[in-house]
Amino acid sequence: MSKKLSLLFIFAICTLSVFAQKKDDVLGKWVNPSGEGQIEIYKKGDKYFGKLAWIKEPNDEKGKAKTDVKNPNADLRSKPLLGLEILKDFVFEDGKWTDGTIYDPKTGKTYSCNLNIKNDGQLNIRGYVGISLIGRSESWKRAK
């Protein structure tokens, strides 16, 4: 009985330390699957956000900064893509970041989103409409 209790105690301590360490593990720069963009995830208060920190082609054919032309809000269409906040309002609970949104500047659409770091160290992004079962996932690698 005491051996089981000891193992349970060790497991509980390890589990707590894992969750404590993971809270800010999402911070830093991540590369999207196509390699066309780097997203920097940062914290504001207790919530997590992400912005486009680097894009492969920041300028159009005329040399001007590409802007958020697909944004449904006409007032925001002149905003440069570089520096655009695309991840918003994530909270950390139970080892993952939930209740946030992801904005896709290629379509101008915003989706509900959850994030979690997989065992291989990649960031799993799950964007969805309504319920998480109906959506799309992709994995981002940490920028070097």
Side-chain angles (χ1 to χ4, degrees):
M1 179 72 170
S2 113
K3 189 174 185 179
K4 283 184 182 176
L5 200 54
S6 298
L7 286 172
L8 184 63
F9 180 73
I10 289 170
F11 177 75
I13 295 296
C14 289
T15 303
L16 288 173
S17 67
V18 165
F19 283 120
Q21 290 174 354
K22 287 193 171 187
K23 187 172 187 177
D24 288 343
D25 282 357
V26 75
L27 298 177
K29 291 185 180 175
W30 299 87
V31 180
N32 70 351
S34 68
E36 295 175 27
Q38 251 184 41
I39 297 83
E40 181 178 1
I41 297 179
Y42 51 94
K43 210 171 171 180
K44 286 196 242 177
D46 288 337
K47 293 191 175 186
Y48 295 82
F49 296 78
K51 67 181 177 184
L52 289 172
W54 174 86
I55 50 178
K56 189 174 184 177
E57 295 179 17
N59 299 324
D60 63 18
E61 56 282 344
K62 296 176 185 169
K64 287 184 148 189
K66 287 184 180 176
T67 60
D68 191 12
V69 294
K70 301 273 184 167
N71 197 307
N73 181 340
D75 293 340
L76 298 176
R77 291 181 187 152
S78 61
K79 199 168 185 176
L81 287 179
L82 197 58
L84 189 67
E85 200 168 64
I86 63 167
L87 298 173
K88 292 183 180 178
D89 296 323
F90 288 86
V91 292
F92 182 79
E93 44 183 49
D94 298 329
K96 59 188 172 201
W97 297 265
T98 61
D99 299 329
T101 60
I102 186 166
Y103 172 71
D104 180 0
K106 289 182 177 177
T107 64
K109 295 189 174 162
T110 300
Y111 302 94
S112 296
C113 188
N114 294 323
L115 313 171
N116 69 293
I117 297 177
K118 300 189 296 188
N119 291 338
D120 64 3
Q122 291 191 43
L123 184 63
N124 184 58
I125 313 294
R126 178 79 181 162
Y128 59 93
V129 176
I131 59 172
S132 181
L133 292 173
I134 303 169
R136 189 181 79 138
S137 292
E138 63 181 39
S139 294
W140 296 353
K141 293 181 180 170
R142 193 169 286 282
K144 297 196 172 156

